Amino acid sequence: MATFRSTFFALLLPLLLSACSTSVPSGLHPITPFELNRYLGQWYEIARLDHSFERGMSDVNATYQLLDDGSVKVINRGYNTQRQAWKEAIGRALFIGDPATASLKVSFFGPFYGGYHVIALDPDYRWSLVAGPDRDYLWILARDKTLPVEVREQLLSQAKALGFATDKLIWVEQTRSDTN
């Protein structure tokens, strides 16, 4: 397990070093008002732009838990299809400014933080569109393993209008349970 985690963190290191920025990409506006308590819990990755730390991963999900100090524990989990094994990384998120604005910084490795900005959010907190520190980072997340076609198309249109390379999105397979 220690080797497994070391390998996973080694894959995260390029992201952390290249994405140590926590700023909001130009022209994007994090959601406000934002209610962290409604955002907590498990989210499934529906789509993402490709990065080495998630390459070859299916069944990716993230769980957010409020900690006593007000920070958020982030548990990212996915299935490495090449190694046929689950991978997990645990990090910590902090609000960059006002907690009513969905703009956080997340760290999985020491003092290196990357931006996590919710730029679209379902009123019932059923799906979200998340940008990183620049337009090379984009995730579509949902509470369920699939999204209705009309929601998916709406999010694609919005992301494209905001300058993201939606033609390069990877649509994440969500077929495994957490135990197989």
Side-chain angles (χ1 to χ4, degrees), residues 9-21 109 111-114 137:
F9 286 125
L11 292 173
L12 285 174
L13 187 58
L15 166 75
L16 297 171
L17 294 176
S18 67
C20 289
S21 171
F109 187 73
F112 303 105
Y113 283 87
Y137 298 89

Side-chain angles (χ1 to χ4, degrees), residues 15-142:
L15 166 75
L16 297 171
L17 294 176
S18 67
C20 289
S21 171
T22 60
S23 61
V24 180
S26 173
L28 301 184
H29 304 284
I31 294 297
T32 189
F34 176 74
E35 297 175 46
L36 176 62
N37 285 334
R38 293 181 68 196
Y39 199 80
L40 297 174
Q42 188 171 46
W43 292 83
Y44 294 97
E45 189 177 271
I46 304 300
R48 66 172 180 261
L49 288 176
D50 188 32
H51 290 286
S52 61
F53 62 93
E54 286 187 286
R55 193 159 292 138
M57 302 270 289
S58 70
D59 303 280
V60 179
N61 65 67
T63 302
Y64 305 105
Q65 301 170 345
L66 185 61
L67 298 175
D68 290 339
D69 66 0
S71 66
V72 177
K73 181 177 183 179
V74 179
I75 305 167
N76 284 348
R77 191 162 193 261
Y79 190 79
N80 182 312
T81 56
Q82 183 178 1
R83 294 189 178 161
Q84 297 186 357
W86 287 98
K87 287 187 172 185
E88 183 176 282
I90 298 175
R92 180 176 180 233
L94 302 165
F95 280 97
I96 292 173
D98 181 0
T101 300
S103 187
L104 296 99
K105 59 183 184 178
V106 180
S107 177
F108 288 94
F109 187 73
F112 303 105
Y113 283 87
Y116 182 102
H117 313 286
V118 181
I119 57 173
L121 182 62
D122 175 61
D124 294 324
Y125 287 61
R126 302 297 308 155
W127 52 257
S128 67
L129 186 62
V130 178
D134 59 41
R135 283 179 173 76
D136 291 333
Y137 298 89
L138 181 72
W139 293 268
I140 297 174
L141 305 177

Side-chain angles (χ1 to χ4, degrees), residues 149-169:
V149 173
E150 62 277 3
V151 173
R152 178 177 152 163
E153 293 304 316
Q154 170 196 339
L155 291 172
L156 281 174
S157 292
Q158 185 174 359
K160 186 174 184 176
L162 291 170
F164 289 95
T166 57
D167 59 321
K168 295 184 179 179
L169 281 171

